[in-house]
Amino acid sequence: MLKKTSTRNLTLGAAAAVGLIAIAAPAHAATEVEEPAEFTSAFTVMATPDQVINADGEVAPGQEGATGTFMFRINSELDVICYDITLEGVSGDYQSPADTATHIHEAAKGEPGPPRIAFPNPEPIGEGPRTSSGCMEGPFTTGVEADNGMDTGEGFTLAQIEADPAAFTGDSHTVDFAAGVVRGQLTEVPLGGVDTGAGGTAAGFDATGMTVAGFGIVALLAGVGVVAHRRQRAEA
């Protein structure tokens, strides 16, 4: 498997995290890799501002009208996660004590929890959609230190997401919304698409550049289409 290290420039700052402090780390410590030929699972996150909570577990709404669509494809045997993240209606710069401001946290719905993976922040900053795509291989680091002195990504594996996806959330943080601009729980989706009820499957959709001003079955199915589309391309 071809590997390369990332040279992305990412914005850092201070955001809410449970009992955590920032530690020195490169801008993006995880190893970027080529997309694997197969995946063992896939997950989507429909992130909205009303799901954001702060480090004390209190509701702390994000940016009104903002949305986030996170698609994750996992090969837990290789410990590789591929991601397609789109943020819409988000303004301002990113801010987080982690290596980046876009994460998977180990946190159940309505609960705070530490970041386990830090993804490259969706770009560009400004008007219009922000997007980020790629694949990363563990071991993962976040640049955030827990009370025990360890990085919050240390010891984490993608098999933990597969075992209990509802225990994980996707979010992103900005200067004006340090607790989170949008947030949502991981939901497992089929790798090969799902029946659309219209004589076909979601594998025919491609969510590249898709606008998700509002969530619903179309957005979900289009997201699943990314899974099938990318897997077929990898196996071609």
Side-chain angles (χ1 to χ4, degrees), residues 32-87:
E32 290 194 352
V33 297
E34 297 295 328
E35 184 173 302
E38 295 182 341
F39 298 100
T40 55
S41 60
F43 303 88
T44 188
V45 175
M46 299 304 182
T48 54
D50 59 295
Q51 299 182 70
V52 176
I53 61 168
N54 63 22
D56 296 321
E58 300 170 340
V59 175
Q63 185 168 358
E64 184 176 357
T67 59
T69 303
F70 299 65
M71 283 301 306
F72 299 121
R73 300 168 309 285
I74 286 174
N75 183 317
S76 58
E77 297 173 356
L78 301 176
D79 213 28
V80 170
I81 184 169
C82 294
Y83 56 91
D84 290 276
I85 302 171
T86 300
L87 299 178

Side-chain angles (χ1 to χ4, degrees), residues 1 33-39 73 75 78 80 82 135 191 225-236:
M1 181 181 293
V33 297
E34 297 295 328
E35 184 173 302
E38 295 182 341
F39 298 100
R73 300 168 309 285
N75 183 317
L78 301 176
V80 170
C82 294
C135 298
L191 280 170
V226 172
V227 175
H229 175 75
R230 285 183 172 272
R231 186 176 186 184
Q232 290 166 2
R233 184 182 65 191
E235 293 176 345

Side-chain angles (χ1 to χ4, degrees), residues 116-207:
R116 298 302 189 193
I117 304 178
F119 297 96
N121 293 321
E123 299 176 341
I125 296 173
E127 299 297 326
R130 306 181 184 193
T131 61
S132 181
S133 299
C135 298
M136 300 192 306
E137 181 182 34
F140 302 100
T141 59
T142 66
V144 172
E145 185 178 303
D147 291 337
N148 61 6
M150 297 172 58
D151 186 283
T152 60
E154 189 169 343
F156 172 79
T157 66
L158 297 173
Q160 293 173 247
I161 292 179
E162 292 183 331
D164 189 9
F168 293 87
T169 187
D171 70 1
S172 191
H173 308 261
T174 63
V175 172
D176 294 329
F177 299 94
V181 66
V182 290
R183 169 179 159 144
Q185 300 304 122
L186 270 67
T187 300
E188 188 166 9
V189 294
L191 280 170
V194 296
D195 187 356
T196 65
T201 68
F205 288 86
D206 185 345

